[in-house]
Amino acid sequence: MNIKRIGIDLAKQVFQVHGVDNQEKVVLRKQLRRAQLLDYFKKLPPCLIGLEACGGSHYWARELQKQGHTVKLMAPQFVKPYVKSHKNDANDAEAICEAVARPNMRFVAIKTIAQQDIQAIHRIRSEVVRQRTAKVNQIRGLLAEYGIVVGRRVEVLRKALPQLLEDAENSLTVDFRMLLEGLQQDLVALDERVDDLDKKIKSLANDNPTAKRLQQIPGIGPTIATALVCAIGDGKQFKRGRDMAAWLGLTPRQHSSGGKDRLLGISKRGDVYLRTLLIHGARSVLNVAGKKDDPRSRWLNSLCGRRNKNIAAVALANKNARIAWALLSKETDYLPESEPA
């Protein structure tokens, strides 16, 4: 069977396969179970395989690459325009097979197992932080029912809880004090879990040479550095730093027509988690820029004098993203702006 290109519609148990030959004639249209997929592709000669970037796609891409195939991942929104008629598994596989052959298609870099390990730590930490925030809001809401209002910050609540439990003059009943003590223990456990994950991330950042180079950039610490490594890898999938910044949603959104350019706010496309970390890191640099006199700080102070501080933070996050791409793709160290190249 002379197969040039194959599109696979991934699922949990049932996979749809669509293949064409050198004349773009359909020569393969088949449904495979999960246990049959790798055995079936072992028998095929090496060819180009297209997959949508979804759950499990990086695993299947690595396994198919081991068998000698060329595998490319695509974002689902870029495959959607090639779906003909109604949506079903066969039409989706055909659309994937068609989309992977487009010369201007944008592909997703295949993650290694090490990258997925780091990404798993970040996903777990993000979920634990979300649970802690929900727990803090629950405690504050219950206390408000008893006429006690506590500040919104986690640190304020941590300090207030022991005082509220020891104060016998407030309006808290014995039963609610017991419940509040249990909530305090839950909060302490979540804090300890976040601290353990932070230590793990810091250890990974110190052991990884790429993450250590990224930490040379002002506004990028262990958390952002490891997040960049697991999400972007070597950055070779982007031609330039602006492409990476646009992928992160840090560049202006356009609504241009008839030769009139209209630039709006940032597009907010791509990885929300990574974009949020970069902006928070930029805010930390912005807070101390007024006490420094280096070129970057002067640029930030001048920008803050003309625009809002949030705009300045996004601008710095954009700059840091471009610098991070240069360090990742060219494997160089960070050179401060005050030093000549």
Side-chain angles (χ1 to χ4, degrees), residues 162-299:
Q163 299 174 2
L164 292 173
L165 290 171
E166 295 175 3
D167 187 4
E169 303 298 328
N170 55 33
S171 58
L172 302 182
T173 63
V174 176
D175 293 337
F176 183 74
R177 288 177 188 274
M178 295 176 61
L179 295 173
L180 188 61
E181 187 175 359
L183 292 173
Q184 183 189 26
Q185 294 173 1
D186 294 341
L187 183 60
V188 170
L190 291 171
D191 283 335
E192 292 175 351
R193 180 66 171 148
V194 172
D195 290 340
D196 291 341
L197 292 170
D198 285 339
K199 292 178 182 177
K200 179 66 174 176
I201 290 174
K202 188 174 181 180
S203 175
L204 287 171
N206 293 331
D207 295 339
N208 190 306
T210 304
K212 290 179 71 174
R213 285 203 311 272
L214 290 174
Q215 291 180 74
Q216 298 171 353
I217 305 173
I220 294 183
T223 303
I224 302 177
T226 52
L228 283 168
V229 169
C230 70
I232 297 167
D234 58 6
K236 299 292 179 62
Q237 64 271 35
F238 303 107
K239 291 183 179 180
R240 58 188 70 86
R242 190 188 186 284
D243 292 346
M244 184 173 130
W247 175 75
L248 287 169
L250 291 169
T251 54
R253 184 163 53 93
Q254 287 195 40
H255 189 76
S256 304
S257 179
K260 296 180 179 179
D261 296 333
R262 296 181 180 88
L263 298 181
L264 309 175
I266 58 174
S267 65
K268 297 186 179 180
R269 300 173 67 183
D271 195 327
V272 178
Y273 176 73
L274 188 53
R275 182 174 64 251
T276 303
L277 289 179
L278 283 169
I279 293 175
H280 285 332
R283 285 199 178 103
S284 66
V285 175
L286 200 62
N287 289 335
V288 297
K291 304 175 183 178
K292 298 182 178 180
D293 194 37
D294 58 282
R296 170 177 287 226
S297 298
R298 288 198 297 269
W299 169 72

Side-chain angles (χ1 to χ4, degrees), residues 14-30:
V14 180
F15 300 80
Q16 185 70 34
V17 181
H18 183 96
V20 297
D21 60 9
N22 292 325
Q23 285 74 40
E24 298 296 326
K25 181 181 177 181
V26 179
V27 295
L28 176 62
R29 189 180 285 120
K30 191 177 182 65

